[in-house]
């Protein structure tokens, strides 16, 4: 394109300047320029102007490039600048515009608009570039600009280059897909581009040096340029030193960025380097002076605002510079900043961050206050963070706030460090029993004895010692002397783990003995521990009755459990009761009951003190949807091989079992077996895999996965293990719930006369699994959409006909003159409309509804 088509105030002279061609970025801009408006937004030094300049000079378009300055905030000056740019394209049009004054009113703008409507050539493409738009603040100029770029000219594209978000209302264009954004992420140099740029500078650097530079600069063009110059000017053979690059950048920052700023602004920037929460609301609160934030926004070379995260991001090089000046702040300044930040985090339910900032400020009393608002059992990540914090804390904090002893034990229990938790609990009890009585000491002893009772419960599956009731009696005693203290929510919510019947022995009656002990504990813990354990005994009886296949009794206990759990806000107990009611309803084929249970599960999502409500909801509903084959409704993280939740070690077993069930439903048998093997290999003595109910469920699931994976002998061996574990207590449902998969397995075992598996038991299991599969199908059918009113397009009917005739996707594509990808997309649409899960399902449903006949007639 001829250079004379450019407006004379172009900021870049073609001359001898070294500039790296970036073809992929040109293509991105070319595609973006098909829209009426393109916003190129990034901080200084990202090569915005270079990128747009490189693009426009390669394409045959007419350009009006306006290099804006603060002087353009005067309407008349802006108007002169605008007309000057137009004159390069058309002197005649510029003369017409010169007659008009700056269009500061809507009436004047309408007069102006008539000129381009008459003069713009329909066969030409025009681009108007507004560079450094962030310098415009005048409302009348911005109003003109807003109206200009949103006026409908199909062959005019406005490119707005700015360091900050333009203060223009472009929502209407954006909502219609008529606006494209090019951001810092698009403009960053790739590693290859950086190397190419250095080659232009005639710099040959070893790969290790290039890696270091790219890591330091993060693809920031300005920093890459400085790094290149430092290498070019270095003595021959000298190695790259990132400290030299940083030193040069730090000097530039000090002289060009920081020096012109008033001292209060500099001081506040240094304070910002002490915290990670750079959200506008907190910064405004910390600043105190409302004039500081607008000044900070102008340092857009190094500080940008992320509209998606609602947070400021400080470039790491600028952040490193600010950290070098943190010594300019007094200790009081730092403590005050951390206290205020911690208080803001706590008020905004960011408790872990609040704890971190209070720890910096040395305020352990506030940390203990926040710990009292956390659940009884903590996630692994939270527990490890708190334990590390308390281990590094000054020893005097234990004297100043003795409640810290009780919180340490909670943390250790959450991490499965039971022996250490037990020893520290015994030490605390000895210590506080020896002190003079006081409400605080009684409160501490109440919690210590409660912790001791839970520790006894956790180890009872291995010791078979169910005398943990004595600890809860002492807990209730000291609770009565504590001045009426009751453990608050959410700490009072019982964490029940993967199974409520925490028994490892398959011995007959062992589960009942455990439940009898829990039944004694429940009323003792109800008062001082805020209802903790209330409903746990009836839930345990629900679980046992369900595993035995006694649905009436299981339902009776589950309903009683719901009532008790809701009386004392025991959300996890309530959730598990609903889970068993869901399974009972599924075993009966009762879809109406399922719908009611789902409404109660949804209502739990509003319980803010139910900390893990979303994870539990995903797990429970994920099990259900996997069971009926609706994997499209399962939470994505449950179908992922690698992603997991942050539940405590006590709960992970349930999550893994649901993941394995999802893999089974998806016929990903190796993945299911890998999940089960991983859980078994963990050997966590307080997880599902070690309890008899969990082991039976795992082995039964493993057996059907192995059988589907054509490992008959492995399947029969796993099934035998599950059978031997279940036999003493006549446990039934872990096999029945596997439906048609279990039916196929036991039929194979009968046919092959698998040793160790009695034929009578196999026959009973086959009948139960077969009957369950029919009930399951009845419920699953309720999820198929009613076909009345289903309208398939002609293309969909054509593809459906091809499917019914056994044609492949490639054959359908060839016959229909469609791409294979289009055929795949059409097939997905057909499945969605018919509620089908595969080709055979779609053909069957369509044939039954008469749709397939219509398709054949159409074809």
């Amino acid at each position: 394109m001829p250079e004379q088509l450019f407006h004379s105030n172009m900021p870049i002279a073609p001359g001898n300047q070294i500039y790296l061609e970036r073809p992929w970025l040109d293509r991105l801009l070319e595609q973006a320029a098909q829209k009426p408006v393109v916003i190129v937004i990034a901080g200084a030094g990202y090569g915005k102007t270079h990128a747009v300049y490189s693009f426009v000079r390669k394409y045959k378009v007419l350009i009006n490039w306006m290099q804006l300055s603060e002087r353009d905030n005067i309407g008349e000056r802006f108007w002169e600048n605008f007309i000057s740019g137009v004159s390069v394209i058309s002197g005649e049009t510029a003369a017409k515009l010169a007659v008009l004054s700056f269009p500061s009113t809507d009436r004047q703008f309408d007069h102006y608009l008539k000129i381009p409507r008459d003069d713009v050539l329909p066969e030409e493409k025009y681009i108007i570039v507004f560079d450094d738009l962030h310098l415009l603040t005048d409302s009348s100029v911005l109003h003109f600009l807003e109206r200009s770029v949103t006026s409908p000219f199909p062959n005019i594209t406005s490119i707005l280059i700015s360091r900050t978000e333009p203060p223009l209302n472009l929502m209407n264009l954006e909502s219609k897909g008529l606006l494209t954004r090019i951001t810092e992420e698009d403009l960053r140099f790739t590693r290859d581009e950086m190397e190419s740029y250095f080659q232009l500078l005639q710099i040959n650097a070893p790969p290790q040096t290039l890696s270091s530079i790219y890591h330091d600069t993060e693809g920031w063009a300005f920093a890459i340029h400085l790094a290149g110059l430092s290498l070019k000017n270095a003595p021959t053979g000298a190695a790259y030193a990132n400290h030299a690059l940083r030193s040069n950048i730090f000097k530039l920052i000090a002289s060009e960025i920081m020096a012109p700023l008033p001292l209060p602004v500099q001081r506040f920037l240094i304070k910002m380097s002490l915290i990670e929460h750079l959200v506008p609301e907190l910064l405004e609160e910390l600043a105190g002076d409302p004039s500081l934030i607008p000044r900070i926004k102008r340092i857009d070379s190094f500080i940008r605002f992320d509209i998606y995260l609602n947070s400021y991001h400080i470039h790491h090089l600028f952040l490193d510079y600010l950290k070098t000046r943190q010594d300019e702040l007094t200790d009081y300044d730092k403590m005050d900043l951390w206290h205020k930040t911690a208080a803001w985090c706590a008020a905004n339910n960011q408790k872990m961050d609040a704890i971190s900032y209070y720890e910096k400020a040395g305020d352990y009393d506030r940390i203990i206050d926040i710990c009292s608002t956390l659940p009884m059992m903590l996630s692994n990540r939270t527990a490890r963070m708190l334990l590390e914090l308390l281990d590094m804390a000054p020893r005097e904090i234990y004297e100043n706030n003795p409640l810290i002893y009780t919180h340490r034990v909670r943390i250790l229990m959450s991490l499965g460090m039971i022996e250490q938790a037990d020893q520290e609990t015994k030490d605390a009890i000895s210590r506080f029993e020896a002190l003079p009585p006081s409400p605080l000491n009684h409160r501490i002893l109440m919690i210590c004895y409660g912790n001791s009772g839970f520790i006894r419960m956790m180890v009872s599956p291995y010791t078979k010692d169910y005398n943990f009731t004595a600890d809860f009696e002492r807990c209730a005693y000291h609770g009565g002397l504590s001045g009426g203290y009751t453990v608050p929510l959410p700490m009072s919510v019982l964490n029940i783990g993967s199974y409520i019947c925490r028994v490892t022995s398959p011995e007959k009656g062992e589960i009942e003995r455990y439940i009898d002990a829990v039944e004694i504990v429940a009323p003792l813990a109800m008062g001082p521990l805020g209802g903790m354990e209330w409903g746990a005994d009836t839930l345990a009886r629900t679980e046992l009755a369900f595993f035995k296949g006694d649905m009436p009794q299981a339902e009776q206990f589950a309903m009683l459990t719901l009532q008790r759990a809701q009386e004392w806000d025991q959300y996890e107990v309530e959730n598990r009761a609903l889970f068993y009611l869901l399974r009972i309803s599924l075993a009966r084929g009762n879809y109406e009951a399922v719908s009611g249970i789902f409404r109660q599960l949804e209502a739990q999502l509003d319980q803010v003190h139910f900390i893990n409500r979303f994870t539990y909801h995903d797990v429970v509903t994920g099990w259900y949807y996997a069971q009926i084959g609706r994997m499209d409704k399962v939470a994505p993280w449950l179908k992922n091989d690698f992603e997991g939740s942050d539940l405590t070690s006590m709960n992970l077993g349930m999550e893994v079992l649901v993941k394995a069930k999802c893999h089974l439903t998806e016929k990903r048998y190796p993945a299911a077996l890998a999940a089960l093997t991983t859980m078994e290999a963990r050997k966590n003595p307080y997880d599902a895999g070690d309890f008899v109910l969990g082991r039976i469920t795992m082995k039964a699931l493993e057996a059907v996965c192995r059988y589907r994976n054509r490992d008959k002998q492995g399947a029969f061996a796993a099934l035998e293990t599950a059978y031997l574990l279940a036999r003493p207590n006549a446990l039934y449902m872990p096999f029945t719930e596997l439906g048609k998969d279990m039916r196929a397995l036991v039929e194979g075992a009968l046919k092959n006369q698998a040793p160790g598996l009695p034929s009578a038991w196999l026959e009973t299991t086959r009948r139960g699994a077969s009957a369950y599969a029919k009930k399951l199908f009845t419920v699953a059918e309720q999820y198929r959409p009613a076909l009345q009113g289903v309208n398939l397009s002609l293309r969909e009917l054509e593809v459906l006909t091809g499917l019914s005739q056994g044609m492949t996707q490639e054959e359908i594509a060839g016959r229909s003159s469609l791409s294979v990808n289009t055929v795949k997309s059409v097939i997905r649409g057909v499945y969605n409309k018919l509620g089908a899960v595969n080709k055979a399902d779609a053909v069957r449903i369509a044939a039954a509804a008469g749709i397939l006949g219509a398709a054949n007639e159409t074809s």
Side-chain angles (χ1 to χ4, degrees), residues 607-639:
Q607 302 292 350
V608 295
H609 291 300
F610 185 7
I611 303 299
N612 294 319
R613 59 192 182 279
F614 295 105
T615 300
Y616 273 102
H617 185 272
D618 284 349
V619 170
V620 170
T621 58
W623 181 93
Y624 171 78
Y625 285 125
Q627 193 77 342
I628 64 171
R630 290 305 304 266
M631 294 302 298
D632 57 306
K633 292 181 173 291
V634 176
W637 69 271
L638 280 169
K639 296 181 283 186

Side-chain angles (χ1 to χ4, degrees), residues 8 21 171 301 393 437 465 484 497 633 666 675 745 770 786 799:
S8 59
E21 299 293 341
M171 289 294 293
S301 308
D465 177 7
K633 292 181 173 291
E666 294 176 316
L745 171 58
S770 181
V799 170

Side-chain angles (χ1 to χ4, degrees), residues 378-440:
L378 306 167
S379 71
N380 285 311
R381 183 169 52 194
T382 298
R384 292 192 183 282
M385 169 192 162
L386 290 174
L387 183 60
E388 182 179 348
L389 183 150
L390 294 181
D391 282 345
M392 294 189 300
R395 301 315 299 172
E396 59 266 22
I397 69 165
Y398 289 84
E399 303 299 324
N400 298 335
N401 198 327
L403 280 170
I404 200 168
Y405 289 103
T406 65
H407 292 298
R408 273 189 62 88
V409 171
R410 287 170 56 207
I411 294 166
L412 294 170
M413 290 169 63
S414 298
L415 292 171
M417 301 169 68
I418 304 303
E419 292 183 5
Q420 185 176 344
D422 186 34
Q423 187 59 54
E424 291 196 14
T425 300
K426 289 176 180 177
D427 292 344
I429 288 175
S430 297
R431 175 192 176 101
F432 289 98
E433 288 278 19
L435 294 176
S438 71
L440 177 59

Side-chain angles (χ1 to χ4, degrees), residues 754-776:
L757 294 169
S759 58
W761 180 82
L762 289 173
E763 285 287 2
T764 301
T765 303
R766 184 186 64 79
R767 287 194 298 270
S770 181
Y772 183 90
K774 292 177 182 178
K775 299 292 187 182
L776 200 65

Side-chain angles (χ1 to χ4, degrees), residues 446-555:
M446 177 197 85
I447 298 174
C448 284
Y449 274 113
N451 287 340
S452 181
F454 285 119
I455 291 172
R456 301 280 86 72
M457 289 181 75
M458 292 178 76
V459 300
S460 66
Y462 311 96
T463 63
K464 295 187 180 180
D465 177 7
Y466 304 129
N467 193 32
F468 45 76
T469 56
D471 283 320
F472 286 102
E473 288 172 355
R474 296 293 295 169
C475 170
Y477 167 76
H478 285 287
L481 299 173
S482 65
Y485 176 79
T486 300
V487 172
L489 287 168
M491 194 164 62
S492 62
V493 177
L494 176 66
N495 186 289
I496 59 179
S498 299
Y499 292 95
I500 190 69
C501 295
R502 300 171 59 80
V503 174
T504 60
S505 172
E507 182 182 339
K508 183 178 180 179
E510 193 69 25
I511 297 177
E512 284 88 344
R513 286 191 285 275
Y514 176 83
I515 295 175
D516 290 342
V518 175
E519 195 170 43
I520 296 172
V521 167
L524 293 172
M526 181 173 61
L529 299 185
M532 196 184 299
E533 285 292 325
W534 192 235
D537 56 328
T538 52
L539 178 60
R541 296 197 187 281
T542 300
E543 189 169 79
L544 179 58
F546 177 81
F547 269 73
K548 287 186 172 184
D550 187 346
M551 298 304 152
Q553 189 174 58
E555 182 179 38

Side-chain angles (χ1 to χ4, degrees), residues 600-743:
Q600 294 181 74
L601 287 169
E602 293 293 328
Q604 279 204 308
L605 296 178
D606 295 327
Q607 302 292 350
V608 295
H609 291 300
F610 185 7
I611 303 299
N612 294 319
R613 59 192 182 279
F614 295 105
T615 300
Y616 273 102
H617 185 272
D618 284 349
V619 170
V620 170
T621 58
W623 181 93
Y624 171 78
Y625 285 125
Q627 193 77 342
I628 64 171
R630 290 305 304 266
M631 294 302 298
D632 57 306
K633 292 181 173 291
V634 176
W637 69 271
L638 280 169
K639 296 181 283 186
N640 188 302
D641 293 346
F642 309 104
E643 187 177 359
S645 70
D646 197 27
L647 293 174
T648 68
S649 58
M650 289 175 58
N651 301 78
L652 287 176
M654 184 177 174
E655 172 189 321
V656 173
L657 286 171
V658 174
K659 275 180 169 281
K661 182 171 284 293
C662 288
H663 296 329
L664 170 62
T665 304
E666 294 176 316
K667 301 181 180 179
R668 298 176 59 213
Y669 309 121
L673 289 168
L676 294 170
T677 302
T678 300
M679 186 170 76
E680 191 171 18
R682 276 207 311 259
K683 296 298 182 185
N684 186 338
Y686 309 106
D687 202 354
D690 219 39
F691 302 139
V692 65
L693 299 183
R695 282 152 58 202
I696 296 169
T697 304
M698 283 174 56
K699 282 298 177 182
L701 190 54
E702 177 189 339
V704 298
C705 289
R706 288 192 181 280
Y707 191 75
R708 293 297 191 189
N709 207 37
R710 300 183 180 181
D711 176 12
K712 289 185 179 181
Q713 297 309 311
F716 297 154
L719 184 60
E720 181 185 0
T721 301
Y723 159 71
L724 293 173
L725 289 169
R727 183 178 61 181
N729 292 286
L731 302 178
Y732 175 77
M733 284 305 291
F735 309 98
T736 301
E737 277 190 313
L738 289 167
K740 62 182 182 180
D741 291 307
M742 180 57 66
R743 180 181 62 200

Side-chain angles (χ1 to χ4, degrees), residues 582-603:
L582 188 65
R583 296 166 77 172
I584 292 167
S585 301
L586 202 54
R588 291 171 170 171
N590 189 344
Y591 173 74
E592 288 73 19
V594 168
S595 301
I597 294 165
F598 260 74
R599 285 193 292 272
Q600 294 181 74
L601 287 169
E602 293 293 328

